[in-house]
Amino acid sequence: MKNKIRVDANKICPLEHAVNTISGKWKIPIVWHLQQGLKRPSEFFYHIADINRRVLSRQLKELEESGLVVKQVVKLKPLEVEYHLTRTGHDLVKILWQLNAWGEGLLKNE
Amino acid sequence: MKNKIRVDANKICPLEHAVNTISGKWKIPIVWHLQQGLKRPSEFFYHIADINRRVLSRQLKELEESGLVVKQVVKLKPLEVEYHLTRTGHDLVKILWQLNAWGEGLLKNE
């Protein structure tokens, strides 16, 4: 959902930046499931239909780089990692809950 | 930004429905500019970089079908139309303002 709300060529519109940060087929589902308690990549596989390992790890990496999630090593051998939402990630979740409620309204009107 | 948060195959997740409704490169920019007072397709051309006529009319049509905007004929000859946000459209704008603020926070952290 790359978006072009560029008001002025060299000034990035925060909304455009926000939308581009969460664009990508799986980012919202990953964030959504993190706030519901999922932590491990293997759990995402179970809960998010059609996701594949390479895409999942890339989108987790991008979410980390954007500051929405942090990765924690919980065991070294075998390596086990967990992901947690950052404050910024939790702030996004609050907005996603409102979008969820807005979506319920859409479904009722259909 | 087609999203797969399908919790249970035959139950559509409202968040997924909301995200799919506003996915499409230009829908958020169009809604955003409507709430800033733009009404006519020609105005969108001026304010939204890189948009083309065919895509703009299709996305306006889809926004109409989703119940986010209404089209009004203001003059018959030559035909002039205006678009306005519905209540559902205005409700989305409230969420977009929060996403905009969240985006400002992201930009500050970078």
Side-chain angles (χ1 to χ4, degrees):
Chain A
M1 191 177 80
K2 288 276 170 236
N3 255 293
K4 286 266 160 290
I5 320 167
R6 199 169 296 278
V7 170
D8 145 15
N10 48 19
K11 182 173 161 294
I12 298 176
C13 161
L15 177 60
E16 178 182 357
H17 185 63
V19 169
N20 291 341
T21 299
I22 58 175
S23 282
K25 198 168 167 179
W26 308 107
K27 287 185 183 168
I28 287 181
I30 291 169
V31 168
W32 192 247
H33 283 294
L34 275 167
Q35 60 101 22
Q36 292 187 317
L38 263 59
K39 299 188 184 68
R40 300 200 182 156
S42 53
E43 292 173 311
F44 295 127
F45 275 116
Y46 181 74
H47 283 84
I48 305 177
D50 314 333
I51 199 165
N52 79 44
R53 218 170 272 276
R54 195 177 44 79
V55 168
L56 173 63
S57 57
R58 195 182 65 227
Q59 305 233 315
L60 281 167
K61 187 112 195 73
E62 287 176 13
L63 285 168
E64 240 187 301
E65 285 160 3
S66 303
L68 275 64
V69 303
V70 279
K71 180 167 139 180
Q72 247 175 347
V73 175
V74 291
K75 215 164 99 185
L76 280 174
K77 280 194 182 137
L79 179 66
E80 270 180 36
V81 297
E82 283 185 357
Y83 288 87
H84 300 272
L85 289 171
T86 60
R87 167 67 195 279
T88 301
H90 281 293
D91 289 343
L92 174 63
V93 165
K94 288 178 201 149
I95 297 170
L96 293 182
W97 273 110
Q98 293 181 52
L99 208 54
N100 187 72
W102 184 74
E104 281 168 351
L106 281 182
L107 288 168
K108 264 186 222 131
N109 294 342
E110 285 187 359
Chain B
M1 194 174 81
K2 288 278 169 233
N3 254 293
K4 287 270 157 291
I5 317 167
R6 201 166 297 278
V7 171
D8 146 14
N10 48 16
K11 181 174 163 292
I12 297 176
C13 160
L15 177 60
E16 178 182 359
H17 185 63
V19 169
N20 291 342
T21 300
I22 58 175
S23 283
K25 200 167 169 179
W26 308 107
K27 288 185 183 168
I28 287 182
I30 291 168
V31 168
W32 192 247
H33 283 295
L34 276 165
Q35 61 102 21
Q36 291 187 321
L38 264 61
K39 298 188 186 66
R40 300 203 180 153
S42 52
E43 293 174 311
F44 296 126
F45 274 115
Y46 179 74
H47 282 84
I48 305 176
D50 310 336
I51 199 166
N52 79 43
R53 215 169 274 275
R54 195 176 45 79
V55 168
L56 173 63
S57 59
R58 194 182 64 226
Q59 304 233 317
L60 280 167
K61 185 109 196 79
E62 287 175 13
L63 284 168
E64 239 186 301
E65 285 159 1
S66 305
L68 274 64
V69 303
V70 279
K71 181 167 133 179
Q72 248 176 345
V73 175
V74 290
K75 215 164 96 181
L76 280 174
K77 279 195 180 136
L79 178 67
E80 267 179 38
V81 297
E82 283 185 359
Y83 287 86
H84 299 275
L85 288 170
T86 60
R87 166 67 195 278
T88 302
H90 281 293
D91 289 345
L92 173 63
V93 165
K94 286 180 205 146
I95 297 171
L96 293 182
W97 273 110
Q98 293 182 51
L99 207 53
N100 187 71
W102 184 76
E104 280 168 352
L106 280 182
L107 288 168
K108 263 187 224 134
N109 294 343
E110 283 185 0

